[in-house]
Amino acid sequence: MNRVLGRTLVLAALLATLPAAAQTPRAQRGQSFAQTHCAGCHAIGRAGESPLPIAPPFRTLHESYPVEDLAEALAEGITTGHPTMPEFVLDPAQIGDLIAYLKTLEP
């Protein structure tokens, strides 16, 4: 392998290990909310399994529907068909924060 290609591969590997760009304050507040209220059941980060197997990881929510579509449900109160999910009703600022954080988990 030539020297330039070798250096390029090393640089690419190093860049891949760096943390993602800093989050906006709104996304940081959303992550904090998720850590406090959701992480007991859901995997809220970019990796890891949900502590409760039936709770989908937040990083996969966008695969089912646009995360912006959660805003109405969060405002009205998320309810599910299983008793382990508590009902949440968020205020508009909390909804925006949580949606901003969920958007950071999309590829």
Side-chain angles (χ1 to χ4, degrees):
M1 170 168 32
N2 73 37
R3 189 172 240 187
V4 172
L5 178 59
R7 287 182 181 165
T8 302
L9 291 174
V10 169
L11 179 60
L14 288 172
L15 290 174
T17 63
L18 293 176
Q23 293 180 2
T24 65
R26 176 161 250 191
Q28 289 173 353
R29 289 189 304 269
Q31 182 179 14
S32 178
F33 180 91
Q35 183 64 50
T36 301
H37 299 284
C38 310
C41 298
H42 294 271
I44 64 163
R46 295 189 174 277
E49 298 298 317
S50 292
L52 184 64
I54 61 172
F58 279 9
R59 68 182 174 277
T60 65
L61 292 177
H62 73 277
E63 296 171 2
S64 300
Y65 40 82
V67 295
E68 295 88 354
D69 290 356
L70 288 173
E72 184 176 347
L74 291 167
E76 294 176 357
I78 289 185
T79 57
T80 63
H82 62 86
T84 57
M85 175 75 180
E87 183 175 347
F88 283 98
V89 179
L90 285 71
D91 66 42
Q94 290 171 315
I95 293 168
D97 294 347
L98 187 56
I99 297 293
Y101 174 64
L102 294 174
K103 296 288 290 173
T104 70
L105 299 175
E106 295 179 0

